């Protein structure tokens, strides 16, 4: 997960590294933009902080994508108007051209302190705990964690059959056996990078969703 976020930091322009334009005959003037990810050491130590113009708002104001004030920066969407570092108004590509939504910044904040998360792993811990707490705060009659990498065709077929039974025999509208689940290949990461994750992950919460130290 950490390596996927480093290479594909959606809505995190300050964690996207540098951009380069690869010539593309089909796109001519726009080319094909790619990013050179941040080195892993910088990625894991860079707080999830929006470094652009912050939009302060009063309490209980709904910000972009439905977040409440103090939970996300910038509060007001800057999609299409934000210019990432390294560009200016004349050189920045149109919205949607740079990868990872680089012109649509959104950094989630710690809802208790309204401060940036110190690193992506801290954000992961918060979001996992929030997901696990759904059954406490909502009228949820059943709760089952499914790891994305477990979604092989066989597992998915068995899962849908169990859901069908629980729902009183409701049958799926598609052919589950033919579903093509795109699984991400395992990443080869630096041993020191792996050691940092091992040391800083909350393994109690990780175990609740099926992950253990290796």
């Amino acid at each position: 997960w950490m390596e996927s976020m480093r290479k594909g930091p959606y809505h995190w322009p300050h964690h996207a590294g540098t951009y380069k334009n690869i010539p593309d005959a089909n796109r001519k003037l726009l080319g094909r933009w790619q990013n050179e990810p941040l080195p892993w050491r910088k990625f894991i130590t860079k707080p999830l902080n929006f470094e652009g113009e912050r939009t302060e708002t009063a309490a209980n104001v709904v910000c972009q994508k439905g977040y409440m004030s103090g939970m996300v920066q910038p509060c007001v969407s800057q999609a299409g108007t934000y210019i990432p570092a390294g560009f200016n108004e004349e050189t920045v590509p149109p919205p949607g051209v740079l990868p990872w939504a680089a012109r649509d910044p959104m950094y989630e904040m710690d809802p208790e302190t309204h401060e940036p998360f110190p690193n992506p792993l801290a954000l992961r811990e918060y979001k996992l705990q929030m997901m696990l707490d759904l059954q406490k705060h909502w009228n949820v009659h059943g709760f089952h964690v499914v790891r994305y990498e477990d979604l092989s065709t066989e597992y998915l077929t068995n899962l849908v059959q169990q859901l069908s039974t629980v729902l009183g025999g409701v049958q799926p509208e598609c052919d589950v056996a033919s579903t093509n689940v795109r699984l991400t290949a395992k990443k080869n990461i630096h041993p020191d990078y792996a050691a940092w994750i091992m040391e800083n992950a909350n393994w109690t919460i990780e175990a609740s969703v099926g992950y253990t130290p290796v």
Side-chain angles (χ1 to χ4, degrees), residues 64-100:
Q64 62 167 311
K65 297 178 175 62
Y67 285 88
M68 298 303 295
S69 55
M71 295 183 65
V72 65
Q73 277 290 344
C75 177
V76 178
S77 173
Q78 297 184 14
T81 62
Y82 177 75
I83 300 177
F87 297 97
N88 57 43
E89 291 184 357
E90 296 180 352
T91 62
V92 67
V97 174
L98 291 178
W100 317 125

Side-chain angles (χ1 to χ4, degrees), residues 32-88:
R32 188 172 298 279
W33 288 86
Q34 297 179 354
N35 72 307
E36 182 65 30
L38 286 179
W40 70 265
R41 292 182 189 276
K42 188 170 185 179
F43 181 74
I44 64 175
T45 56
K46 189 176 180 63
L48 300 182
N49 184 36
F50 178 61
E51 300 170 5
E53 182 179 354
R54 298 168 69 93
T55 50
E56 303 299 338
T57 57
N60 299 321
V61 171
V62 179
C63 298
Q64 62 167 311
K65 297 178 175 62
Y67 285 88
M68 298 303 295
S69 55
M71 295 183 65
V72 65
Q73 277 290 344
C75 177
V76 178
S77 173
Q78 297 184 14
T81 62
Y82 177 75
I83 300 177
F87 297 97
N88 57 43

Side-chain angles (χ1 to χ4, degrees), residues 96-111:
V97 174
L98 291 178
W100 317 125
R103 297 200 63 187
D104 185 12
M106 191 188 77
Y107 280 87
E108 291 183 61
M109 313 286 281
D110 186 324

